Amino acid sequence: MKLTIFSVLLMATSVCHAQTDPGSDSCGLMVMAHGGTEEWNEAVRAVVAPVGESVPTSIAFGMANPVTMSKAITELEEKNVNCIAIVRLFMSAHSFLHQTEYLLGLREDSPAFFISHHGPSHGHTIPDPLKFQTDVKISKTALLDAPEIGEILALNAIGLTDSSGTESVLIIAHGSGDDAVNDEWVRKMDILAESVRETKLFRNVAVHSLREDWDDKRPDAEAEIRRFVEHHSENDGRVIVLPFRLFGFGPYAEVLEGLSYISDGSGLLPHPRVTEWIKRSANELFAEFIQETEI
């Protein structure tokens, strides 16, 4: 039977209460998100806010930033939580996972380098794990694994179509510098793109990654993306470009400069289906607290 976030929270509350001190009486949710401009951050807050109506909730912006993570955990502990579900609002399950697990004390080996808003830091600059009293569990999946995101892509494409039957859809993502990880990005995006294909409105639906932070990989990726738009714009064709990003259009306007395409520049936020994914991911983690106690 499917459990609502509120009913799972009630069970998790009693479990966590039994495991820790008498002053604690609930579980909480911490959402991790990359962060960006104030408009970007506000879009994250908008999808997280409905969850906060049912469970104590905080947000840690940054690339597994120990300062914002510690602040978010403290914020929840001050609300008398003693178990925290941590949902990572990232595209890839690989994003900052090792660093996050290390900071939370879930693994002992420190990352080879530490990501901060200043860029990678090596060796002795890696901080110690965070200090907190609360039991935590962390999501191991991300938006690339979420069927809800396929639905958003389909809705975004439908919102831009002229129903002429002459249109193709190009979905562009950030991608990775690691070839194996990037192949995983593309494979999972293609699965999500099935939701767009199932509309039967478009001639072709393709996915590409820009690999935008890797100078040795990006030129070839850019050329491939431009070739797709050029080819599918021929003979009165139209190309709809969907950014596979949390918010905004990123660098794609520059990449596609001089080409004909249709886009409103909208990413995945602040769509309510992202809120549903956060709720579902939190419920799965809350259920793990319960299962451990029952065993």
Side-chain angles (χ1 to χ4, degrees):
M1 177 173 61
K2 185 176 180 181
L3 298 172
T4 66
I5 192 167
F6 184 69
S7 62
V8 171
L9 174 61
L10 289 178
M11 289 189 292
T13 294
S14 60
V15 169
C16 295
H17 179 76
Q19 289 178 331
T20 55
D21 67 86
S24 297
D25 58 8
S26 69
C27 284
L29 168 66
M30 184 176 94
V31 176
M32 296 177 64
H34 188 291
T37 63
E38 184 54 33
E39 188 180 14
W40 198 107
N41 293 348
E42 189 55 38
V44 172
R45 295 186 189 103
V47 296
V48 173
V51 189
E53 296 173 3
S54 301
V55 59
T57 302
S58 64
I59 301 174
F61 287 112
M63 299 173 283
N65 183 316
V67 175
T68 59
M69 288 174 64
S70 180
K71 181 179 178 181
I73 291 173
T74 298
E75 181 181 336
L76 292 175
E77 288 184 328
E78 288 176 348
K79 296 179 180 178
N80 293 323
V81 308
N82 58 7
C83 50
I84 298 175
I86 299 177
V87 173
R88 300 180 306 128
L89 190 59
F90 300 127
M91 291 299 188
S92 170
H94 298 282
S95 296
F96 322 116
L97 179 59
H98 187 161
Q99 180 165 313
T100 300
E101 291 178 327
Y102 172 74
L103 288 172
L104 294 172
L106 300 177
R107 63 188 299 168
E108 295 182 358
D109 58 315
S110 61
F113 58 87
F114 187 82
I115 300 291
S116 72
H117 66 281
H118 300 296
S121 299
H122 295 268
H124 64 280
T125 58
I126 296 175
D128 293 330
L130 302 176
K131 297 184 183 301
F132 55 93
Q133 302 299 314
T134 314
D135 190 12
V136 299
K137 291 190 181 296
I138 178 174
S139 63
K140 297 296 182 66
T141 60
L143 294 176
L144 274 167
D145 308 296
E148 293 92 338
I149 303 309
E151 296 175 30
I152 296 174
L153 293 172
L155 290 170
N156 287 351
I158 290 169
L160 294 170
T161 186
D162 65 1
S163 302
S164 64
T166 65
E167 296 166 315
S168 296
V169 175
L170 174 62
I171 303 169
I172 310 178
H174 183 284
S176 172
D178 182 285
D179 289 343
V181 175
N182 192 73
D183 287 345
E184 181 180 308
W185 269 74
V186 173
R187 178 179 61 81
K188 290 184 174 182
M189 285 170 59
D190 199 57
I191 293 172
L192 295 174
E194 279 301 310
S195 294
V196 184
R197 297 185 184 105
E198 288 170 0
T199 66
K200 307 295 185 182
L201 294 172
F202 307 104
R203 284 178 173 176
N204 188 285
V205 179
V207 299
H208 285 279
S209 68
L210 179 57
R211 313 187 81 170
E212 55 195 73
D213 292 333
W214 294 273
D215 292 340
D216 58 331
K217 311 281 187 179
R218 178 165 172 164
D220 288 343
E222 280 197 19
E224 192 172 0
I225 287 167
R226 289 183 63 87
R227 279 195 297 270
F228 179 93
V229 176
E230 289 171 344
H231 175 69
H232 290 278
S233 297
E234 295 173 351
N235 302 318
D236 296 322
R238 285 165 40 103
V239 177
I240 293 173
V241 177
L242 302 179
F244 192 82
R245 307 176 71 87
L246 273 176
F247 188 78
F249 203 53
Y252 305 147
E254 179 182 352
V255 171
L256 299 172
E257 186 175 0
L259 301 179
S260 176
Y261 64 93
I262 308 298
S263 183
D264 62 3
S266 296
L268 303 176
L269 298 182
H271 200 281
R273 294 296 277 149
V274 178
T275 301
E276 292 174 22
W277 175 78
I278 293 171
K279 288 182 178 181
R280 178 167 64 80
S281 300
N283 269 335
E284 291 169 359
L285 294 173
F286 289 148
E288 288 183 20
F289 285 116
I290 300 166
Q291 290 167 3
E292 285 188 0
T293 300
E294 290 177 342
I295 291 171

